[in-house]
Amino acid sequence: MDVLGSIATVFDRAGFEIFLVGGSVRDRLLGRPFEDLDLATNARPPDIKRLLKQAKPDGIYEIGAKFGTIGATFAGTGVEVTTYRKEWYPTESRKPEVEFGDDLREDLARRDFTVNAIAQNISTGTIIDLFRGASDLARRRIKAVGNPSERFAEDPLRMLRAVRLAVQLDFDLEQRTARTIRGNAGRLQYISAERIRDELVKIVVSPRPDLGIAALFELGLMRFVIPELMDMPATEQDTTGHKHKDVLAHTLQVLAGVPAEPTLRLAALLHDVGKPKTKSIRNGRIHFYRHEDVGARMTREILQRLRVDSATVNEVTKLVALHMRSNLYTSDWSDGAVRRFIREVGDSRERLLILSRADITSYRPRRIEAGLVRVAELEARCQQLVGEADVERMDSPLDGNELIELFGRAPGPWIRPVKDYLLELVLDGELDQDDKEQAAILAREFQAGMSERANGEAKSSIEGEISAASDGAGAPVENARRS
Ligand code: ATP
Ligand code: MG
C-alpha cells in the first residue's frame, strides 16, 4: 500500500505542502530500514488531523498538538506530521516552545545536522537539500547545520545526538562539529536527565556502543552523563601481562560483547563501576574487593538519577551485584552450590551468563577459551539440575506450623534456623523435599545440637572471663586483640 501516495493526494488537493523530512529522508537515501515516516507541512494541526483522516488511517493520535505534531498509523506504518517550525526549542527552555512557520526552508534551517535537514517532496520525489546534507551522507559525516556553537548553545542535547547519530549510522563527526562539542560540553549540565537518558540508551544499544562511550569521554561529555565513570580510564586493573589494561578499556570490550538490548548493555557498561573506589594493591597484586556490591549501589543511584524505569534499574543493579558469582564458578562447586546459585540469580540467569562470557577479556586466547568452558559448564549444570527438579521452589519439607507442632513450642525466632537447616539439606541433595519423617528426625537432631552448642558457648564464655581475669599477662594474642 502506498501510504505516502495517499497522504500526498489529500494534502495536495487541499492546497498544502507536505514533505518527508529528518530521519526518514536520511535513512531512505542511505537505504537503511526506517520505522516511522516524519513529514512536515505548512498546514496547522487541525487541518493535519482532518486531512490525515481523509487518507483513512487505522488510528490517529495527537503527539502534542502544541508542538504541531499529529501521529497516525497506516497498516503498521507510523506517520508523524508536523507543522513547519520557526524554532526547535529544547523542552527546558523558558521561551515559548514552538512557533509555527510557513516556510520549509526556515524549518530545515532549525534542524540539528545537515544529514537531518534534507526534505523530499512526496508527490514529485524532488529532494530539497539546502545544507549539502546529501554530500555529508556520502562522506558519512555528522555536521551541524550552520554555526555549530550557536546550534549547541540553542540546544546542548544536540552534542549527544551527534554522537548517537554517528554510532547509529557508523559516521564520523565533522572536525569543526567535534571541536565545538569539546569546547561546549559543559552546557550539557543544563539538559534534563530524561533527554540525556534517551540518547545514552540509543548510544548503548547501537551497533558500536564502545565507540560511542569512548567518544563521550573523548569529547568531554561523559562528565555530564555519568560522572561516576570518570575514574575508569585511570584505573589500571592488570599488571601481570605485558600490556596494561584499564577498567574503561575492559568495560568497552564487554559492552561490545553483549547483545544490543538496553538491560544487558547497561549492565555491561556499569558492571565494574565500583572498581576505582575499591582498588587496593597487596603483595604487588591488584584487588577490587567487593567492587560488585559498591558497584551495585552506584548503579542504582546512576540509573535512578537518569530516570530509567524501575524494572530496568532493578535488573541492571541485580546483574552488577551478581556478576562475580558466575565469574568465580569452578568445577569443584557441589550441586548444592549450583542450586544456591540458581536460586540467587533467579530469572536473571541467562543474562548473567551472557555477561559472564563477555566479561572474559584476557589477552591470552587460552585463558579466554578456559573461561568460556567454565561458563558453559556452569550453564550445563544449571540446566541439568533445573531439569531434575524445580530448584527455585525447593523448600524445607516442614513449614513453620509443622515445626511448632513437632516441638510443641510457641512460634518464635527459633523456627528460622531449623527451616534454613532443612532447606540447606534439600539443596545439598541430602534430604528429599517430600520426606517429612526424615526431616523431623533431622530437625530434632539439629535442635538438640543447638541447645548443646548454646550451653557450651555459655560455659566457655564464663571460662574465658575467668582465665582472662587470672592470667592477663600470659596471653599475648589476647592482649594484642584487646589493645
Ligand atoms: P531516529 O528517529 O531514527 O532516532 P531522527 O533523526 O528521526 O532519528 P528524531 O529525534 O526522531 O531523530 O528527530 C526527527 C528530526 O527532527 C531529526 O532528524 C532532526 O531533523 C530534527 N530534530 C530532532 N531533535 C532536534 C534538535 N534537538 N534540534 C534540532 N533538530 C532536531
Ligand atoms: Mg525519527
Side-chain angles (χ1 to χ4, degrees):
M1 188 194 90
D2 183 14
V3 178
L4 288 177
S6 32
I7 296 175
T9 308
V10 291
F11 279 76
D12 272 352
R13 260 202 326 246
F16 291 111
E17 297 174 1
I18 185 156
F19 289 87
L20 203 57
V21 288
S24 318
V25 182
R26 178 195 74 214
D27 291 346
R28 278 185 154 219
L29 293 176
L30 285 171
R32 292 177 93 234
F34 48 90
E35 278 141 41
D36 295 336
L37 296 170
D38 291 328
L39 297 158
T41 177
N42 56 350
R44 298 294 194 261
D47 286 323
I48 297 176
K49 221 168 156 178
R50 179 173 57 82
L51 293 168
L52 278 177
K53 275 187 191 154
Q54 288 176 18
K56 303 218 177 346
D58 303 323
I60 189 161
Y61 49 96
E62 291 193 0
I63 293 177
K66 76 172 170 173
F67 299 108
T69 303
I70 306 292
T73 47
F74 293 85
T77 305
V79 173
E80 291 185 7
V81 185
T82 306
T83 306
Y84 294 154
R85 301 175 196 184
K86 281 196 172 129
E87 299 286 351
W88 283 83
Y89 297 122
T91 45
E92 285 88 353
S93 171
R94 268 154 277 115
K95 295 184 233 169
E97 272 159 339
V98 167
E99 208 183 319
F100 295 147
D102 298 304
D103 186 356
L104 173 69
R105 282 169 304 181
E106 221 169 28
D107 180 277
L108 295 177
R110 305 306 303 176
R111 290 174 184 264
D112 46 9
F113 303 106
T114 61
V115 297
N116 282 346
I118 310 171
Q120 183 170 29
N121 182 312
I122 60 176
S123 321
T124 62
T126 308
I127 295 282
I128 316 280
D129 180 14
L130 306 173
F131 307 100
R132 303 179 52 78
S135 138
D136 287 328
L137 277 180
R139 297 171 70 170
R140 305 186 74 80
R141 61 180 200 172
I142 302 296
K143 179 174 188 268
V145 170
N147 179 332
S149 46
E150 278 170 27
R151 307 325 307 281
F152 295 138
E154 284 164 358
D155 182 6
L157 186 76
R158 290 170 184 160
M159 298 187 286
L160 221 46
R161 285 178 55 87
V163 174
R164 188 261 283 187
L165 286 160
V167 289
Q168 277 184 337
L169 303 172
D170 189 20
F171 278 25
D172 289 323
L173 298 185
E174 178 264 340
Q175 274 195 18
R176 182 165 170 226
T177 300
R179 212 179 328 117
T180 309
I181 293 176
R182 254 180 241 115
N184 289 270
R187 293 182 190 269
L188 202 57
Q189 67 187 294
Y190 305 113
I191 297 301
S192 75
E194 287 83 352
R195 295 183 80 207
I196 290 180
R197 172 204 59 206
D198 287 349
E199 296 302 326
L200 175 67
V201 170
K202 286 179 182 175
I203 289 171
V204 156
V205 299
S206 77
R208 289 307 301 270
D210 49 340
L211 294 186
I213 296 299
L216 296 185
F217 275 95
E218 202 266 313
L219 295 168
L221 294 167
M222 187 52 93
R223 185 176 299 285
F224 308 98
V225 179
I226 309 182
E228 289 87 344
L229 302 191
M230 293 304 288
D231 290 333
M232 293 205 320
T235 305
E236 233 169 62
Q237 62 171 9
D238 186 4
T239 54
T240 52
H242 51 285
K243 274 192 200 171
H244 289 206
K245 194 154 153 194
D246 63 68
V247 174
L248 179 63
H250 165 72
T251 295
L252 295 181
Q253 227 177 312
V254 179
L255 184 60
V258 298
E261 183 235 332
T263 306
L264 266 172
R265 287 274 172 93
L266 288 170
L269 178 65
L270 297 169
H271 78 287
D272 278 346
V273 68
K275 275 187 171 174
K277 276 194 180 165
T278 55
K279 180 170 174 171
S280 64
I281 299 178
R282 252 170 255 180
N283 305 324
R285 284 188 60 106
I286 299 175
H287 297 277
F288 301 100
Y289 290 116
R290 320 270 356 147
H291 73 272
E292 66 274 31
D293 299 334
V294 173
R297 278 195 293 278
M298 294 171 73
T299 295
R300 181 173 294 281
E301 221 176 274
I302 291 165
L303 296 180
Q304 282 176 343
R305 188 180 62 227
L306 286 169
R307 305 263 189 277
V308 171
D309 68 281
S310 58
T312 306
V313 174
N314 290 337
E315 177 68 5
V316 175
T317 303
K318 186 175 172 191
L319 290 169
V320 173
L322 291 173
H323 81 274
M324 291 308 287
R325 293 283 200 291
S326 41
N327 286 358
L328 292 174
Y329 169 79
T330 51
S331 296
D332 58 10
W333 278 24
S334 66
D335 283 351
V338 177
R339 288 196 191 94
R340 282 181 197 93
F341 169 80
I342 291 168
R343 290 164 62 92
E344 194 172 12
V345 305
D347 294 343
S348 310
R349 192 170 80 235
E350 200 184 322
R351 282 196 176 114
L352 191 64
L353 294 176
I354 292 172
L355 183 61
S356 268
R357 283 197 178 88
D359 204 2
I360 305 167
T361 63
S362 174
Y363 291 107
R364 283 175 260 176
R366 247 195 278 152
R367 267 214 189 169
I368 293 192
E369 189 49 41
L372 292 175
V373 166
R374 259 183 344 96
V375 180
E377 183 180 300
L378 174 59
E379 186 168 42
R381 288 185 68 187
C382 289
Q383 268 160 11
Q384 160 100 29
L385 293 171
V386 166
E388 287 168 11
D390 191 345
V391 175
E392 288 195 56
R393 292 177 59 179
M394 282 184 168
D395 204 351
S396 159
L398 300 171
D399 65 20
N401 288 329
E402 290 167 318
L403 288 169
I404 288 167
E405 202 175 309
L406 180 69
F407 288 100
R409 284 183 71 174
W414 62 273
I415 294 174
R416 162 82 338 139
V418 188
K419 270 183 70 178
D420 285 350
Y421 172 68
L422 295 175
L423 171 60
E424 293 302 294
L425 292 175
V426 172
L427 292 176
D428 284 329
E430 289 166 22
L431 172 62
D432 195 298
Q433 153 129 16
D434 304 317
D435 193 347
K436 290 184 190 287
E437 230 169 277
Q438 183 63 14
I441 296 170
L442 293 165
R444 282 219 171 83
E445 276 175 21
F446 178 76
Q447 275 299 74
M450 281 289 275
S451 37
E452 244 170 60
R453 275 194 298 281
N455 286 339
E457 264 163 37
K459 224 173 117 205
S460 74
S461 83
I462 292 169
E463 279 165 6
E465 267 165 43
I466 294 167
S467 83
S470 62
D471 67 356
V477 176
E478 276 287 307
N479 281 343
R481 193 158 60 82
R482 266 185 271 131
S483 61

